[in-house]
Amino acid sequence: MPNKSPGPQIKDRDQYEALRDKGYSKQKSARIANSEGAEKRGGLAKKYEDQTKKEIYDQAKKVGIDGRSKMTKAELINALRTN
């Protein structure tokens, strides 16, 4: 079966495909590939430690991390990095 294109709504197709290869669902891969800063590569994205807890929380919300409302800033960062 040939690879289907994820569609025009995906901002970062390479990241999307890499996540799908790792076994992520289509929806989760799309959320991550379309999240703010996804198009920034090579260390150009703002470091989590330099962001406010609200900014990190908003990113965790976009990605769909469960239990984020009770997490500390450090826990949110860890969840984003390991998600």
Side-chain angles (χ1 to χ4, degrees):
M1 177 189 290
N3 267 348
K4 289 187 175 182
S5 172
Q9 70 278 9
I10 302 298
K11 289 182 185 177
D12 188 337
R13 290 179 188 272
D14 293 334
Q15 184 180 32
Y16 174 86
E17 292 299 330
L19 292 168
R20 291 291 293 140
D21 290 343
K22 286 183 179 181
Y24 285 75
S25 70
K26 291 178 182 179
Q27 293 81 11
K28 191 168 194 174
S29 297
R31 280 195 311 265
I32 294 169
N34 288 338
S35 65
E36 187 175 322
E39 65 280 353
K40 296 181 181 178
R41 301 182 91 91
L44 299 177
K46 191 175 177 184
K47 293 182 181 180
Y48 288 133
E49 290 79 11
D50 295 338
Q51 297 180 41
T52 65
K53 182 179 178 184
K54 182 178 180 344
E55 289 173 318
I56 295 167
Y57 177 88
D58 290 342
Q59 289 178 19
K61 186 176 180 180
K62 286 180 186 177
V63 175
I65 293 175
D66 293 328
R68 64 188 172 270
S69 64
K70 296 181 181 180
M71 291 184 184
T72 64
K73 180 178 177 179
E75 290 170 330
L76 286 167
I77 290 170
N78 185 51
L80 284 167
R81 286 186 173 149
T82 59
N83 187 10

